[in-house]
Amino acid sequence: RRSILSPQRLPTLSPLLQQALAYDVRRGPCSVGAHIRDAAAYVCWALARAYEPQQLSPCVRELSASLLTMACYDREVNCRRAAASAFQECVGRLGSFPHGLEILAVADHFSVGNAANAYLHVAPFVAQFPEYTGALVQHLADVKLRHWDRALRALAAMGL
């Protein structure tokens, strides 16, 4: 529903969304959490539609970095695409995401569909902007270089 959450509560929602956008737990031979990450991207998309830019301004920096990290480095294609779509919606409606239009020219729904393209072409382009460099490098170093999926570890190594 439109603005069902009080705008004063939005800053407390931001850290929870960041956790949900990065949620990935290994259970046996697979991982659990794609549905949570996908839902978190949808929440970001819905927030952009429901609130005014000035109401979301305290959360913009954290959410933009988290969405781009997910769009570039998520294991699941549907999660990468959901994050890219949420980022696009936020840029279009809020207009306050740093370097949003420049990034949208490269990091769109289709370009993040291929993991190799997302890791090796989209992510380096996004990382050239100082607002996102730290989050992207930290995610690669802390999460993807130790990931249980060998292919993702190889892509992360090439991405660094």
Side-chain angles (χ1 to χ4, degrees):
R1 299 227 169 163
R2 192 161 182 79
S3 301
I4 198 166
L5 184 65
S6 170
Q8 292 80 17
R9 304 252 329 172
L10 290 175
T12 61
L13 180 65
S14 180
L16 298 174
L17 274 175
Q18 287 179 273
Q19 288 177 355
L21 288 168
Y23 185 79
D24 190 24
V25 177
R26 184 172 182 193
R27 298 271 165 95
C30 60
S31 92
V32 175
H35 56 289
I36 293 171
R37 295 188 308 274
D38 186 48
Y42 174 74
V43 169
C44 293
W45 177 86
L47 287 175
R49 296 179 60 86
Y51 293 94
E52 296 297 321
Q54 61 271 21
Q55 293 172 320
L56 286 172
S57 63
C59 312
V60 163
R61 188 172 186 90
E62 296 84 17
L63 288 181
S64 62
S66 294
L67 282 171
L68 284 173
T69 299
M70 184 175 159
C72 292
Y73 296 137
D74 200 278
R75 182 174 183 267
E76 304 294 332
V77 65
N78 62 314
C79 291
R80 287 193 308 271
R81 287 181 168 168
S85 296
F87 184 81
Q88 180 179 4
E89 187 73 19
C90 290
V91 168
R93 291 198 181 260
L94 304 175
S96 56
F97 275 36
H99 309 286
L101 292 176
E102 295 170 74
I103 292 170
L104 282 180
V106 174
D108 63 10
H109 181 81
F110 299 104
S111 65
V112 299
N114 180 302
N117 190 55
Y119 271 77
L120 303 177
H121 299 291
V122 176
F125 178 80
V126 173
Q128 75 179 347
F129 302 108
E131 293 88 350
Y132 306 115
T133 306
L136 293 173
V137 170
Q138 182 178 2
H139 184 77
L140 280 180
D142 294 347
V143 178
K144 295 302 180 192
L145 287 177
R146 298 182 300 159
H147 199 273
W148 60 271
D149 187 344
R150 183 176 297 156
L152 285 186
R153 286 195 312 263
L155 280 172
M158 288 186 282
L160 278 178

